[in-house]
Amino acid sequence: MKKLADYIPELSMCVRCGTCRSTCPTLITLGRETASARGKLTLIDACISGEIELSDTFVKHISECLLCGACQQSCPNSIPVPEIIMAARAEVINARGLPLITSAIMKGLREPDGFVAKTLKLASFAQRVIFKDASDAGGLQSRLPLPYITDERLVPPLAKRFFMDKIPLNPPFSKGEIRYPPLVKGGKGGFETAFSAEKATKVGFFAGCLINFVMPDIGLASLKVLEKAGADVIIPHGQTCCGMPAISMGDFEDAKALALKNLEVFEAHDLDFITTSCATCTDGLKRKFRQLLEDEGPEMKKRVDVFCGKVRDITDLLVNELKLTAVMSDLKTSEGGAVVTYHDPCHLRRGLGIKDEPRELIEVAGFRIKEMKHPCRCCGLGGSFSITNYELSTEINMLKAEDIKGTGAEIAATACPGCMVQLRDGLHKIDAMVDVKHVVELLAEKMSH
């Protein structure tokens, strides 16, 4: 990742035109110049030149950014504002260090079965003591005052059994891989999948933290849909966090370690594609890995290019590579299906340009789409932003929740588990009876009928 000083040419490109002001969700909510991209770039430029210091006020202003990319998309000079903000946050971490607990968590995520996973497994048993059930809204609410968690916040429950624990090794290969469909006894004493090992498209599935620890059903639905599309799925053991939480904080050191770990794990398998059902993870694996490891030499560059070239979001993979819409075209109906509105995750639409594929899958599953007024407006999650800036995150989320409610849709679909957490919280706050689903869940449900 580039250092803050490396962005001086880009900073000089900002002509202070203010185009970004109309698209920035934090500015729309807070209404002050320092909340805008233009204001933040002015502060960062002053910091680089020594006019201001890395003060608490400076840190506060650069923390008030969702990294949604709306400003870069609207900027006439395409200034990479999110990258500059992350580089500024990295300067703060270099100067002040990470909080002890945050640092321990980021380092703990390097090992998939390390203390973070073990702690979350213990927490999954204790969560009903600390939280009360709000199952009608799809979550839990705190019984006690907790840091960063108010009693009004809808918290997603930890899974009783994590995704990576739900899929047993079949059989236990030395590489530590999981195959789906499971391997069966084949000729000459070997094993083969339900598909031809030579002809089937081999897809590596990256679970990501939210699917693994919180929403394993999305992972299982993904496997079902991939099987329907004719893929031979390999779920490598040893995979861990994609590193996006660390990147958004500016913790490039831990993010790089996570990237190297995942690179090594997936390289051990002969894969045609690598996919995930998390828009944030897709952006991390496909784009951020290149930036994190760009200075590691020509050999590493070759490895990263091969890895990133295989990464596809599951909606992109299903439509453009596995041609699932053709397989399921008989299910598509023009009337009678439930009304669905689709929320575009920032990482997917702005980050990777994926807009039409999720909508095609919703329609081919037999649902009717009704667009909200601002389908690509950020939901206000922003990773850790919704934890450290919850009140601001909620205000932004309310705009999205009202937009969804205004469609009259029965289901709000998206392709990002993180967005799902945020949407459920927002819809719960306005008492909107709208179900929140992942696109692959809608497909898997249709296949079950």
Side-chain angles (χ1 to χ4, degrees), residues 217-400:
D217 286 349
I218 295 176
L220 296 175
S222 301
L223 298 184
K224 181 174 183 176
V225 173
L226 287 167
E227 177 188 8
K228 177 71 174 179
D232 176 9
V233 185
I234 296 173
I235 312 162
H237 261 242
Q239 59 176 280
T240 185
C241 175
C242 68
M244 286 294 273
I247 293 171
S248 66
M249 288 187 292
D251 178 16
F252 298 158
E253 178 184 345
D254 285 316
K256 183 180 290 188
L258 291 167
L260 289 169
K261 173 73 173 179
N262 285 308
L263 183 66
E264 179 182 348
V265 166
F266 277 83
E267 279 181 333
H269 307 277
D270 180 22
L271 302 170
D272 297 309
F273 297 104
I274 298 166
T275 195
T276 177
S277 297
C278 175
T280 301
C281 291
T282 305
D283 197 19
L285 300 175
K286 192 166 187 66
R287 291 202 307 158
K288 296 299 189 292
F289 272 27
R290 293 184 191 275
Q291 296 171 341
L292 282 168
L293 303 173
E294 62 186 354
D295 298 326
E296 298 298 307
E299 193 60 38
M300 177 59 71
K301 184 180 184 305
K302 290 180 184 177
R303 292 172 59 191
V304 172
D305 285 345
V306 170
F307 176 91
C308 295
K310 293 180 179 181
V311 175
R312 301 285 191 283
D313 182 77
I314 194 166
T315 60
D316 176 25
L317 181 71
L318 290 170
V319 172
N320 297 318
E321 304 293 348
L322 300 179
K323 312 298 183 184
L324 182 66
T325 50
V327 175
M328 294 183 64
S329 59
D330 59 318
L331 296 176
K332 185 174 180 179
T333 58
S334 58
E335 57 183 3
V339 177
V340 175
T341 191
Y342 178 73
H343 162 69
D344 287 284
C346 298
H347 287 112
L348 205 59
R349 182 162 175 175
R350 294 199 190 95
L352 298 168
I354 297 174
K355 171 191 172 185
D356 297 331
E357 289 84 349
R359 290 171 169 84
E360 286 184 38
L361 293 171
I362 292 169
E363 288 187 333
V364 83
F367 297 94
R368 293 176 292 155
I369 294 180
K370 185 172 183 181
E371 296 286 358
M372 61 187 89
K373 291 181 180 178
H374 304 285
C376 195
R377 174 180 281 167
C378 183
C379 65
L381 179 75
S384 59
F385 179 92
S386 67
I387 298 174
T388 57
N389 295 276
Y390 182 61
E391 290 185 9
L392 175 55
S393 172
T394 298
E395 288 187 57
I396 296 168
N397 192 13
M398 289 302 94
L399 297 174
K400 173 62 70 171

Side-chain angles (χ1 to χ4, degrees), residues 170 173 177-183 193 202 232-235:
N170 256 315
F173 289 91
E177 69 184 22
I178 304 170
R179 303 295 288 264
Y180 191 90
L183 293 184
T193 66
K202 293 183 175 61
D232 176 9
V233 185
I234 296 173
I235 312 162

